[in-house]
Amino acid sequence: MGIWDTYKNRINLTGETKRDEHLNRLKRQLSSKLPDSLSYHSVIVDGLDQMAVIDDSDNFNEKIMYSLPGETFSCGVLVEWADNHWLITEKDANTEVRTKVKMLQCNYLLKWVDEDNIIHEQWCIVEDGTKYMTGEYEDRDFFTTRGDSRIAITIGRNADTVKLSRQNRFLVDDPDSKIKNAYALTKPLKAGHIYNGNGVFSFVLQECVATDNDNYELGIADYYLHFPKENDKDTDTDTDNSNGSSGKDDTDGTENGGWL
């Protein structure tokens, strides 16, 4: 190897230009110093172990997370950290040095059954939705009192949630509540926060009437439409009736008090 080859290899390591040199130096500094930071944490991103830097914000349920140089995150994926689930809702497009994202703390495990009778569950963010329009038009010709609460749900985009539409209903309430409130998806906004196929959906749901098809124990709406209840076995009145008699035609009268 000649002297010029050695010189060229050294240039490639540091950078061919001054800008490349500064960029590579910054990446090396971050990779060597970040592990000593108190903000350096082990997280699980979309099921995979990863190291990241997590900074606090003014809102306790909102965090800013940075990747290490050479690593990245995707918007719309779930993060497990500090015994909680977090949803990455925003991502900085400038990832030259490292990736910066905003993640919000999830507060509800949403459950539903799809058209193929497959049960899905996914962590999401449920908020008060009274400030939003429902996404439906209704006249005033109704004669019964009905609930009018609304909720807003932010959930990550994936192959399961992209199928959700106005036909879907959900049970959203405290998990220990015996009777849960039912909501219909009335505003399935899917194009507002999606970039390059990744992001989150922002849905508005309006309270609707609960039905016998809802499974309160599992917290799944329309559950029994996909998994019908087993019919109780018909009782055999010839062998077991209310007065305890066998129902046999006893000609001796010993089983019916002697009446012929």
Side-chain angles (χ1 to χ4, degrees):
M1 180 180 294
I3 185 172
W4 289 110
D5 293 331
T6 303
Y7 174 77
K8 187 176 181 179
N9 290 336
R10 293 183 62 183
I11 290 296
N12 291 334
L13 288 175
T14 57
E16 295 184 1
T17 64
K18 281 290 185 181
R19 186 180 187 283
D20 292 339
E21 182 180 353
H22 293 162
L23 177 62
N24 293 335
R25 182 185 300 114
L26 177 59
K27 289 181 178 180
R28 290 194 298 268
Q29 290 176 349
L30 290 174
S31 298
S32 61
K33 294 182 179 180
L34 284 179
D36 297 328
S37 171
L38 295 179
S39 300
Y40 190 72
H41 299 281
S42 174
V43 297
I44 300 177
V45 182
D46 202 18
L48 301 176
D49 293 330
Q50 194 168 342
M51 303 304 298
V53 174
I54 299 178
D55 288 340
D56 295 333
S57 68
D58 294 336
N59 299 322
F60 292 155
N61 63 334
E62 177 183 319
K63 304 294 180 182
I64 303 297
M65 185 168 66
Y66 299 88
S67 71
L68 295 180
E71 300 180 1
T72 187
F73 307 117
S74 295
C75 189
V77 302
L78 289 170
V79 178
E80 296 180 43
W81 173 70
D83 297 327
N84 282 275
H85 292 82
W86 306 76
L87 177 63
I88 297 179
T89 57
E90 297 181 29
K91 174 183 176 180
D92 191 347
N94 185 4
T95 60
E96 187 176 21
V97 178
R98 54 178 178 170
T99 301
K100 177 182 178 181
V101 298
K102 181 176 77 172
M103 59 183 189
L104 300 179
Q105 188 176 11
C106 298
N107 57 8
Y108 196 77
L109 183 61
L110 193 67
K111 302 177 182 180
W112 71 95
V113 184
D114 66 10
E115 57 185 7
D116 297 322
N117 297 333
I118 299 176
I119 298 177
H120 299 278
E121 58 180 30
Q122 185 169 324
W123 284 98
C124 64
I125 301 161
V126 176
E127 301 173 288
D128 180 23
T130 54
K131 61 181 179 181
Y132 300 106
M133 297 183 65
T134 61
E136 285 189 340
Y137 174 79
E138 297 178 353
D139 57 34
R140 299 181 180 275
D141 296 331
F142 56 86
F143 303 95
T144 59
T145 302
R146 55 184 178 180
D148 191 30
S149 66
R150 306 171 193 172
I151 59 174
I153 287 183
T154 303
I155 193 168
R157 179 194 185 277
N158 54 42
D160 299 326
T161 57
V162 75
K163 299 178 182 178
L164 298 177
S165 64
R166 295 180 187 272
Q167 299 177 354
N168 290 98
R169 297 172 62 257
F170 303 94
L171 296 181
V172 182
D173 211 322
D174 189 283
D176 295 331
S177 179
K178 292 184 178 180
I179 298 190
K180 297 178 173 59
N181 289 334
Y183 293 88
L185 177 53
T186 58
K187 194 175 182 180
L189 179 60
K190 297 182 180 178
H193 304 282
I194 304 298
Y195 305 95
N196 299 321
N198 298 315
V200 296
F201 292 144
S202 298
F203 296 151
V204 176
L205 294 85
Q206 186 176 20
E207 185 178 359
C208 61
V209 179
T211 68
D212 293 336
N213 295 319
D214 299 335
N215 189 324
Y216 295 113
E217 183 177 356
L218 297 180
I220 303 176
D222 297 330
Y223 178 87
Y224 294 114
L225 290 178
H226 300 270
F227 308 101
K229 299 179 181 179
E230 294 183 1
N231 293 328
D232 294 334
K233 295 182 180 180
D234 295 333
T235 57
D236 188 355
T237 57
D238 291 333
T239 58
D240 185 14
N241 53 30
S242 59
N243 60 12
S245 63
S246 62
K248 296 181 180 179
D249 185 10
D250 299 317
T251 56
D252 59 357
T254 57
E255 297 296 333
N256 56 16
W259 294 95
L260 296 178

